């Protein structure tokens, strides 16, 4: 579903201190595979997600999503393939728009916007259905501005918008990070539910090792722009928490 | 007194169209677009020249709108495609339009006497302040407000509002945000040019200096109007944000004209009005910053 072939990205290229954020990273994800990506700050996790999303052009290599070469495409031209949730709950929603307007925008994905009503009656029903499945009671607050939602609720809304039209690839960039433990668990539960029920190919970045051990079918660790650890779920079980930590420390020393 | 009210209302409606344009760029797109100072005059000068050479005044209005649209798009292209900052791209277009407007008119001032203007056709033989004129301008301003209300809840309009709020959301649904900004600025400036055209016909001349400080007048009107609509709880409760904003623009335009008329009655010289306008903006912003909650700061952004 997602194929990365030897992709590289260098920031500050023409300066004395170029930063090699991605060094010949290759990765192959099958349909429905849920991958957790860990690594310390500056390891290149976010750069990897940004490369897949098309935030910038990569300096070498090739990116294929669902067999389609998207390497040179700008972000908005591959948006119909990619869904994204960010660390900051403010980044994923438009706060001066109502809940239903936000989700309706999510439902517009891959279509050219027209001059029809954005929140049409049929779309409102669709929105209520999607939000109703979350069990947060958001479906009864459709006309509220997203501004009045809490961080956790906003993150759920963002998740809903990113997956309203089921994407080929879902990118979760520490989307559990800025939430309190209880809310983070709720968001993670919802994430698992959505990812599994639609069998969405997913890359989730997290700093929480507990969650990294618990969620997903595959664990990747990045150090200095390279993937240094790639464990399947059964292998991951054998590796204990402390061992993972030592991997982390080794990686930092490099 | 009644005369003052009548004239303020009429002018408020004529300038109200401009304020709706400023609302689109300044508030909805979060783009403080200084090209407004130029496009206002562009609308006036294009209309003046066309009417002067015998073109139907209503056709003159439409061509003014198209010229404003083109100028607004240029600002958008400078900002999005060439990476010029928002403020600078507006300033560039405003400055270039100064020369263009002089070229269009061929002189700095062009009277519209003894030619058929839209306002002339409506008020017949009477001079400024006719009641028919008020009805016409008010109808036009309200019609444009309603049209904008309709547009803002369409898919396109919602995308436009989302661009001013959070560009990332729009990018991630696969819409080209550059295009939205360019068209949005075109739309905003076509309203401004229409307003310039109306004002020129109403006052009987187009003048190269008539757009000076227009963006500040627009922003002042938006801010004054918002202060009123956000303070009235029954409006806040029953009217959705985007409708409330267009309503604020129209109310603000009128109240602004009323304040200006009162300033003149109190003995201020017309040349003092720009100072008065600036002080008004600062005063409203100052009052606002005292009760800055997340909601207020997000809606007002300043």
């Amino acid at each position: 579903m997602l194929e990365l072939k030897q992709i590289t990205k260098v920031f500050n290229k023409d300066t004395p201190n170029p930063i090699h954020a991605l060094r010949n990273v290759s990765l192959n994800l099958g349909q429905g595979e849920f991958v957790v990506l860990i690594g310390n700050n500056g390891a290149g996790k976010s750069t990897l997600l940004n490369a897949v999303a098309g935030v910038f052009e990569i300096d070498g290599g090739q990116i294929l999503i669902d067999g389609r070469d998207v390497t040179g495409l700008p972000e908005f031209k591959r948006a119909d393939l990619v869904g994204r949730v960010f660390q900051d709950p403010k980044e994923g929603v438009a706060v001066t728009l109502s809940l239903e307007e936000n989700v309706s925008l999510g439902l517009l994905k891959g279509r050219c916007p027209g001059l029809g009503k954005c929140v049409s009656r049929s779309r409102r029903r669709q929105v209520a259905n999607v939000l109703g499945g979350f069990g947060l009671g958001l479906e009864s607050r459709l006309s509220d501005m997203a501004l009045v939602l809490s961080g956790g609720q906003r993150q759920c809304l963002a998740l809903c918008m990113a997956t309203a039209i089921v994407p080929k690839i879902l990118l979760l960039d520490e989307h559990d990070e800025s939430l309190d433990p209880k809310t983070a668990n709720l968001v993670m539960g919802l994430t698992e539910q959505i990812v599994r029920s639609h069998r969405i190919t997913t890359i989730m970045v997290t700093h929480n090792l507990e969650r990294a051990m618990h969620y997903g079918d595959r664990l990747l660790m990045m150090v200095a722009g390279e993937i240094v650890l790639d464990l399947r779920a059964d292998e991951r079980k054998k590796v204990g928490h402390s061992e993972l930590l030592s991997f982390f420390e080794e990686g930092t020393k490099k | 007194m009644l005369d003052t009210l009548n004239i303020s209302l009429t002018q408020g409606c004529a300038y109200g169209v401009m304020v709706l344009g400023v609302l689109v760029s300044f508030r909805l797109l979060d783009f403080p677009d200084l090209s407004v100072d130029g496009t206002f005059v562009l609308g006036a000068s294009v209309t003046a020249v066309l009417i002067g050479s015998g073109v139907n005044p209503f056709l003159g209005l439409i061509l003014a709108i198209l010229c404003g649209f083109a100028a607004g798009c240029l600002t958008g292209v400078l900002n999005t495609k060439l990476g010029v900052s928002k403020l600078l791209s507006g300033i560039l277009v405003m400055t270039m339009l100064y020369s263009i407007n002089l070229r269009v008119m061929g002189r700095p001032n062009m009277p519209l006497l003894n030619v058929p203007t839209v306002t002339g056709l409506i008020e017949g033989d009477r001079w400024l302040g006719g009641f028919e004129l008020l009805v016409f301008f008010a109808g036009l301003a309200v019609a444009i407000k309603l049209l904008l209300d309709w547009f803002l809840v369409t898919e396109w309009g919602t995308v436009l509002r989302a661009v001013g709020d959070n560009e990332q959301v729009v990018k991630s649904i696969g819409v080209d945000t550059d295009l939205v900004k360019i068209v949005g600025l075109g739309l905003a400036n076509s309203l401004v040019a229409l307003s310039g055209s109306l004002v020129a016909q109403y006052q009987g001349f187009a003048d190269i200096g008539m757009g000076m400080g227009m963006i500040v007048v627009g922003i002042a009107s938006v801010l004054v109007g918002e202060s009123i609509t956000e303070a009235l709880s029954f409006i806040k409760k029953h009217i959705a944000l985007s409708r409330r904003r267009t309503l604020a623009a129209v109310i603000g335009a009128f109240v602004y004209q009323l304040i200006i008329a009162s300033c003149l009655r109190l003995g201020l010289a017309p040349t003092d009005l720009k100072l008065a306008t600036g002080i008004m903006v600062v005063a409203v912003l100052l009052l606002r910053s005292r009760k800055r909650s997340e909601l207020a700061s997000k809606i007002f952004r300043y």
Side-chain angles (χ1 to χ4, degrees), chain B:
Chain B
M1 190 61 211
L2 206 63
D3 246 21
T4 314
L5 200 67
N6 187 356
I7 292 176
S8 302
L9 259 175
T10 314
Q11 285 190 352
C13 292
Y15 282 100
V17 178
M18 177 274 293
V19 178
L20 284 168
V22 170
L23 180 83
V24 171
S25 54
F26 173 69
R27 196 51 98 202
L28 301 181
L29 278 175
D30 194 21
F31 196 117
D33 174 22
L34 296 182
S35 46
V36 162
D37 281 27
T39 47
F40 189 78
V41 185
L42 182 66
S45 58
V46 166
T47 312
V49 168
L50 286 174
I51 295 179
S53 57
V55 174
N56 180 303
F58 286 98
L59 187 63
L61 282 183
I62 291 168
L63 285 169
I65 292 173
L66 291 178
C67 289
F69 186 81
C73 287
L74 178 63
T75 309
V77 169
L78 287 179
N79 175 241
T80 58
K81 300 298 180 195
L82 304 182
V84 182
S85 76
K86 291 178 181 180
L87 280 175
L88 188 56
S89 40
I91 292 172
L92 282 172
V93 171
M94 172 185 82
T95 308
M96 291 190 285
L97 280 177
Y98 183 83
S99 301
I100 291 175
N101 288 328
L102 279 173
R103 279 274 172 210
V104 170
M105 290 195 288
R107 49 185 164 159
N109 185 295
M110 193 158 190
L112 284 169
L113 302 171
N114 306 320
V115 285
T117 59
V118 170
T119 49
L121 292 177
I122 287 159
E123 64 181 351
D125 295 334
R126 274 157 295 164
W127 189 234
L128 295 188
F131 189 66
E132 298 88 342
L133 211 52
L134 172 59
V135 173
F136 170 71
F137 275 128
L140 194 68
V142 170
I144 289 172
K145 179 217 178 290
L146 293 176
L147 204 64
L148 200 57
D149 283 342
W150 163 79
F151 171 72
L152 289 178
V153 296
T154 62
E155 291 172 0
W156 241 98
T158 309
V159 165
L160 185 140
R161 284 185 290 140
V163 165
D165 183 313
N166 185 348
E167 239 177 88
Q168 185 58 51
V169 167
V170 179
K171 272 190 200 153
S172 34
I173 60 166
V175 173
D176 185 358
T177 50
D178 288 357
L179 181 72
V180 177
K181 285 187 211 169
I182 293 169
V183 175
L185 287 171
L187 178 76
N189 282 291
S190 53
L191 291 178
V192 174
L194 170 62
S195 174
S197 165
L198 290 172
V199 169
Q201 298 183 54
Y202 172 71
Q203 65 187 13
F205 61 89
D207 185 90
I208 191 68
M210 69 191 281
M212 226 176 89
M214 199 46 66
I215 180 69
V216 183
V217 173
I219 290 175
S221 306
V222 169
L223 292 177
V224 168
E226 280 177 348
S227 305
I228 295 170
T229 52
E230 296 303 310
L232 298 175
S233 56
F234 66 93
I235 288 183
K236 232 177 142 176
K237 220 183 253 170
H238 296 294
I239 303 179
L241 179 62
S242 65
R243 277 167 188 276
R244 211 155 73 217
R245 281 177 159 167
T246 54
L247 182 67
V250 175
I251 293 178
F254 164 62
V255 173
Y256 171 82
Q257 292 300 330
L258 208 58
I259 295 174
I260 290 300
S262 319
C263 286
L264 285 173
R265 276 178 89 94
L266 288 173
L268 247 59
T271 44
D272 295 332
L273 292 180
K274 299 238 186 288
L275 178 64
T277 307
I279 292 173
M280 203 191 302
V281 172
V282 174
V284 173
L285 291 178
L286 213 66
L287 282 173
R288 201 168 269 186
S289 66
R290 292 212 173 163
K291 42 175 184 178
R292 179 173 295 169
S293 61
E294 195 198 358
L295 183 74
S297 67
K298 193 65 201 186
I299 291 177
F300 298 137
R301 283 226 178 73
Y302 281 83

